[in-house]
Amino acid sequence: MKKALFLLLISLFALQSCNINSEIVYHKDSASTAVMDIDIKQFVKEMKAMTPDSLKGKEFGDMDKLPATWTSIYDIEKKEGKLNTKDPDSIRIMKKIFMKSSKENNEPTGFALKLDHFNQADYKMLNSYTKQEKLPLDQNIYNNWDGKTLTIDTDNFNLKNIEEAMKKNSPAGDAENEGSTQGMVMMFFKKVGTTLKFDNKIKSISGKHDWFKQTDDHSVRIDYDLESLYDKEKKLKNQDKKIVIITE
């Protein structure tokens, strides 16, 4: 199912007809919750206009299998009879990764992926889990958060996980070379960004980066410049290796 959903996601970007909203919320107890929400209303409208029977395709059929409420990957795969691990750590992480779909008039309008209340130990385990199960997760989930201070490693300002998921789930599989994958990213993704939100008010920020800005008392935004990301000769004005956000 995950492969079909990601291939659908690639189609959405190719048509430039979906809205993507990603955010990471940092909680007071040192945990964080990350959500990627994909709105495909316009995509469905365009697909129906071009091919009236398009919603009967396999990818949309797989979307129909997704629950309408947040349900863990563990429960989804167990229900489908595709649970192929007995490792307790993997199962624990699978129970904290959730997916859901949304519909209007019995037609799909979107789907979402959530990492619910992950702590640093969970993220370490997730890193191991995603070496086998490629998921298009934001690299910034791996930044260090202790409940008051977020230390951002700007080396995480990349699309590595999305690139790996595209390689894994593309028809060419792992044979997809780096250049063609980057070309796909440049073609499909016209705007990529992440909002970081904090339960407590931001007290101070040290460090600068051209792609980073504070948007309000509780939030910052990272908007990627894809041309700069893949053109190593293009220099940024501000490119500190670390950005430290301290909250009240």
Side-chain angles (χ1 to χ4, degrees), residues 8 10-19 39-55 60 107-109:
L8 175 60
I10 290 176
S11 299
L12 302 181
F13 283 121
L15 290 178
Q16 303 175 38
S17 55
C18 66
N19 296 316
D39 183 340
I40 64 170
K41 290 180 183 178
Q42 186 61 29
F43 171 74
V44 170
K45 182 179 179 180
E46 292 180 9
M47 287 293 289
K48 287 177 63 180
M50 291 187 294
T51 311
D53 292 334
S54 58
L55 298 187
F60 284 106
E107 293 181 352
T109 57

Side-chain angles (χ1 to χ4, degrees), residues 17 25 31 40 43 54 57 73 114 121 128 133 142 148 155 157 168 170 205-209 224 230 242 245:
S17 55
V25 179
I40 64 170
F43 171 74
S54 58
I73 287 180
K114 177 170 71 172
S128 297
E133 297 289 341
Y142 296 113
K148 184 175 181 179
D155 285 342
F157 289 3
K168 180 76 173 181
S170 70
I205 298 176
S206 60
K208 295 181 179 181
H209 196 285
Y224 296 90
Y230 294 124
K242 300 287 183 183
I245 301 174

Side-chain angles (χ1 to χ4, degrees), residues 44-196:
V44 170
K45 182 179 179 180
E46 292 180 9
M47 287 293 289
K48 287 177 63 180
M50 291 187 294
T51 311
D53 292 334
S54 58
L55 298 187
K56 298 179 181 179
K58 183 180 184 301
E59 288 82 5
F60 284 106
D62 282 328
M63 277 197 69
D64 278 338
K65 297 177 184 178
L66 280 177
T69 57
W70 288 117
T71 305
S72 70
I73 287 180
Y74 172 83
D75 287 335
I76 292 173
E77 295 196 357
K78 185 177 181 180
K79 183 178 180 180
E80 293 180 349
K82 296 181 179 179
L83 186 64
N84 56 10
T85 182
K86 294 183 179 180
D87 177 67
D89 288 330
S90 294
I91 290 174
R92 180 175 62 83
I93 291 301
M94 291 174 71
K95 288 181 176 180
K96 299 186 73 172
I97 303 175
F98 294 81
M99 299 180 75
K100 72 173 181 177
S101 64
S102 56
K103 289 184 177 182
E104 288 182 7
N105 300 320
N106 205 34
E107 293 181 352
T109 57
F111 59 95
L113 178 71
K114 177 170 71 172
L115 309 181
D116 189 39
H117 223 83
F118 270 52
N119 56 36
Q120 291 300 312
D122 293 332
Y123 283 122
K124 288 181 181 179
M125 185 59 215
L126 177 68
N127 195 27
S128 297
Y129 176 75
T130 53
K131 288 179 180 178
Q132 299 297 324
E133 297 289 341
K134 302 299 183 183
L135 296 173
L137 302 172
D138 193 309
Q139 283 287 108
N140 287 287
I141 60 176
Y142 296 113
N143 289 319
N144 186 51
W145 167 246
D146 65 7
K148 184 175 181 179
T149 301
L150 176 68
T151 302
I152 299 174
D153 182 351
T154 60
D155 285 342
N156 286 328
F157 289 3
N158 63 64
L159 305 179
K160 179 181 176 181
N161 283 333
I162 292 177
E163 291 170 4
E164 290 298 321
M166 292 176 78
K167 288 180 185 179
K168 180 76 173 181
N169 295 302
S170 70
D174 291 330
E176 190 81 51
N177 63 56
E178 182 178 354
S180 62
T181 301
Q182 291 179 358
M184 290 171 67
V185 170
M186 292 287 289
M187 179 173 63
F188 296 155
F189 297 83
K190 299 304 179 183
K191 187 176 182 180
V192 180
T194 304
T195 297
L196 310 180

Side-chain angles (χ1 to χ4, degrees), residues 211-229:
W211 304 346
F212 174 94
K213 66 179 180 180
Q214 183 173 355
T215 54
D216 59 45
D217 289 343
H218 290 263
S219 307
V220 299
R221 178 74 178 172
I222 303 163
D223 286 305
Y224 296 90
D225 180 341
L226 297 184
E227 184 178 349
S228 297
L229 182 63

